[in-house]
Amino acid sequence: MKSILLTTTAIVAFAGAAAAGGHTSISNSMSATLGYNDGGDPATVTNDDENGFYWEGNLKTTATAALDNGVEAGAYFEITVAGDDATQSNDGGQDLASSDFVLSLTSESAGLFYGDTSRAAEKHWVSAGDMEADGVSTGSNSAVLRGDVMFGGVDASVSYLVDDSASAGSDDLQQLSIGAGADFGMFSASLAYQEETDYVDGNGDFTQQGVLGVSGTAAVAGATITLAYVDWELDGAEHNSTGIKVAYPFGPVTATAYYVAEDGAAGDDDNLGLNIAYADGPIAASLDLQDDQGVSKWAVEGSYDVGNGLSVFGGAENNNEEDTDYHVGGTYDLGGGASVLVTYAMDDDGDQGDEIGGGDYQNGTTVELSFAF
């Protein structure tokens, strides 16, 4: 969970700038979840891997204001107003905590963003399958400061992490990230750069590697073809990946295949995969096959929309294991933003935790009631 403190001066200054403009819009939304699971590990319970009853409530506020000079000011906050986790007493609630926030100033050709927003390389990078050298950072417990500019069909960005912790120093800027994307009709290209750093951020998918990647995507005879090359380096170790991914739709079926040649510190075994997805009316199904770094994986999933708000689904997967994980379940729409989820998932060896199947279901039986307002 991200928790960033903004100074009173900064908040007042931002509010003053917004007030100086024209139209102002503020919208709020609320969501709440109450559930029960009988398959979690009581010794390692988190908000994602539960045991017994669990609950959460979130309040999201979005505000925009048109300033006098044509720039739009924006603010987004997500606040956890109730929930249970290992750090809270089991009293039905918790202290208010900010989980996400973004402050922004945007125009037709530029933007400035601060908070829980994507880094520049993350925003623009387009991968070609499972590339071992794709070490672009995607998660942290620090805020991101990013600037965007659009000109002549090119969208470019530059960003830094901003960490005000004592270990990093006061408002230290960490890990420069640069990204760009260009669209030329039937062809598009992307560039991503991320500097190597010794800064450590233990939350999310933050990586210390220096990364440089280029990719291009083209539409050819109904197929979408992506070619990409990416290289990472850390403390003298280096790895590069060169990949091709092809997606081709025919009728209700879309087939996607990729092949990635790997070379370097992360291993020399190449990666390849095939996904076949079917969607037609109330029926949807998919088959996923992968061989990544010598590890064979497969997964099959399907769902059926019964009607009157009821949908059922199920699937099985095997990640190079002796035992196969599986799940079955259903959802029922109660109307008015309320729904019920019931699942049963089996993870015999406990390596999947709360990530069984494409819906990241929890081990055991789960009954969950959700509301959105």
Side-chain angles (χ1 to χ4, degrees), residues 274 286-291 295-301 315-326:
L274 173 66
S286 67
L287 171 65
D288 192 71
L289 305 172
Q290 297 181 45
D291 189 345
V295 177
S296 297
K297 307 173 185 179
W298 62 264
V300 59
E301 297 194 80
E317 61 183 13
N318 188 293
N319 295 323
N320 203 41
E321 303 168 346
E322 182 178 345
D323 298 319
T324 297
D325 304 326
Y326 62 88

Side-chain angles (χ1 to χ4, degrees), residues 3-61:
S3 182
I4 305 294
L5 298 179
L6 299 179
T7 66
T8 303
T9 302
I11 294 176
V12 171
F14 189 89
H23 178 71
T24 300
S25 173
I26 299 177
S27 63
N28 298 294
S29 64
M30 177 75 185
S31 64
T33 300
L34 172 63
Y36 178 84
N37 172 261
D38 68 357
D41 183 354
T44 60
V45 168
T46 70
N47 275 343
D48 295 325
D49 186 10
E50 304 287 356
N51 179 260
F53 285 100
Y54 60 93
W55 55 90
E56 185 172 273
N58 292 89
L59 174 65
K60 299 178 181 179
T61 297

